[in-house]
Amino acid sequence: MGKSKTYEEFVEKFKPKRTTDDCMTPPEIYEVVKDWACGRYQIDPAVIVRPFWPGGDYEQFDYPEGCVVIDNPPFSILAKICEFYLDRNIKFFLFAPSLTCLSGKSSMRINHIICDTAIEYENGARVRTSFVTNLDEDGTVMESAPALSLWINEAVDELHKRKTKKIPKYGYPGHVLTAARMQYYAKHGVELKINRKDCVRIPAMDAQRKKGKSIFGGGLLLSDKAAAERAAAERAAAERAAAERAAAERAHTIVWELSER
């Protein structure tokens, strides 16, 4: 007899709840970040230390002379950690939450390496992630990092591919029309009518049959006239989709103006 749902819920209550402070970094992501930092700052990998692990105490950690901390710390005390390292002249390159990494008291004493990345950590938390460091000595306080963003995103995509089964996405030529594509036109306010004299129904294209594939739900093979009308509808829908995205972005953006001061 299986365990009851009530029993499982009872047990679940006593399991420790994980937060962003429990974000164990996937090794593949960490290696990418480490390689980028080593290349940028000419760091010898042998001097890198990682004082952050479940139950660890970074304040009591034995930091060798000349070491560099490259690690993912608890985000809730990131400002405190940065001050601890700055006060002791310990070099660091730390993971940080992108949108709040400038909020610490020591923010003007460090550089903020801002990336366009969302890392899914081993506890399942997906966090917009950037980095903070005291390795820059030229006064830079914040910079964008497109190369590091690209490296991390490529590693994130590769991990995602391993975890999920990829469903193929099919594209069709202008003379083949599916109900799914008509939904796209309807969504963006574009009308299109196909007359039966300008089409025939097909379950699959010859190229698909060779691979044992078909058009999901079937499709219509269009005449040149209907294909031209479909092309016009495609252009109109694309223009409206772009306009809708721009309008939505404007509607949700509050622009703050500079005061006289």
Side-chain angles (χ1 to χ4, degrees):
M1 182 176 178
K3 294 178 180 177
S4 69
K5 183 178 179 181
T6 302
Y7 174 80
E8 291 175 350
E9 291 173 343
F10 175 77
V11 172
E12 185 68 25
K13 288 195 299 184
F14 294 94
K15 289 182 180 179
K17 303 301 180 185
R18 290 192 167 186
T19 67
T20 52
D21 283 358
D22 302 305
C23 291
M24 302 302 293
T25 311
E28 296 86 348
I29 303 295
Y30 177 80
E31 288 301 315
V32 163
V33 173
K34 183 187 76 174
D35 289 347
W36 186 91
C38 286
R40 160 77 175 258
Y41 300 106
Q42 300 301 300
I43 302 169
D44 180 355
V47 306
I48 295 172
V49 296
R50 299 190 67 180
F52 299 101
W53 64 84
D57 187 343
Y58 75 95
E59 293 178 313
Q60 299 302 317
F61 186 83
D62 182 17
Y63 295 94
E65 184 72 23
C67 71
V68 179
V69 179
I70 300 182
D71 209 351
N72 185 5
F75 290 165
S76 66
I77 56 170
L78 179 61
K80 178 183 175 183
I81 292 168
C82 289
E83 289 182 25
F84 178 86
Y85 288 148
L86 288 167
D87 292 344
R88 290 159 180 78
N89 198 30
I90 296 172
K91 298 299 182 182
F92 63 85
F93 189 90
L94 301 175
F95 288 61
S98 291
L99 298 182
T100 58
C101 63
L102 268 174
S103 59
K105 293 180 180 179
S106 302
S107 61
M108 296 304 291
R109 298 169 63 192
I110 60 179
N111 191 13
H112 303 75
I113 310 291
I114 307 300
C115 295
D116 179 32
T117 61
I119 298 174
E120 183 174 333
Y121 293 92
E122 292 190 346
N123 67 343
R126 194 167 185 269
V127 184
R128 304 291 298 182
T129 303
S130 290
F131 304 88
V132 293
T133 181
N134 62 348
L135 288 165
D136 291 282
E137 299 178 354
D138 61 357
T140 304
V141 72
M142 184 162 64
E143 65 178 285
S144 60
L148 180 54
S149 297
L150 178 63
W151 288 16
I152 292 174
N153 288 334
E154 286 178 345
V156 168
D157 289 344
E158 184 59 34
L159 284 173
H160 183 70
K161 288 176 184 176
R162 292 185 205 168
K163 292 180 181 178
T164 59
K165 181 180 179 182
K166 188 164 181 65
I167 300 174
K169 191 173 182 179
Y170 296 155
Y172 295 98
H175 281 73
V176 175
L177 181 60
T178 64
R181 204 59 192 162
M182 288 292 271
Q183 285 181 332
Y184 174 74
Y185 305 149
K187 176 180 179 181
H188 297 294
V190 175
E191 292 185 359
L192 176 63
K193 293 181 180 180
I194 304 297
N195 194 286
R196 64 172 60 93
K197 66 182 175 59
D198 288 314
C199 66
V200 293
R201 184 187 180 280
I202 56 172
M205 296 178 64
D206 290 344
Q208 289 179 307
R209 287 193 175 95
K210 294 175 182 178
K211 297 183 178 295
K213 305 296 182 182
S214 63
I215 300 172
F216 183 76
L220 299 178
L221 180 61
L222 306 180
S223 67
D224 289 343
K225 172 179 175 294
E229 294 172 350
R230 181 261 171 98
E234 190 75 27
R235 290 191 296 271
E239 291 171 1
R240 292 195 182 187
E244 288 164 7
R245 285 193 298 270
E249 185 173 345
R250 288 194 300 271
H252 291 87
T253 300
I254 299 174
V255 179
W256 300 103
E257 302 292 343
L258 287 172
S259 67
E260 288 299 320
R261 183 175 70 83

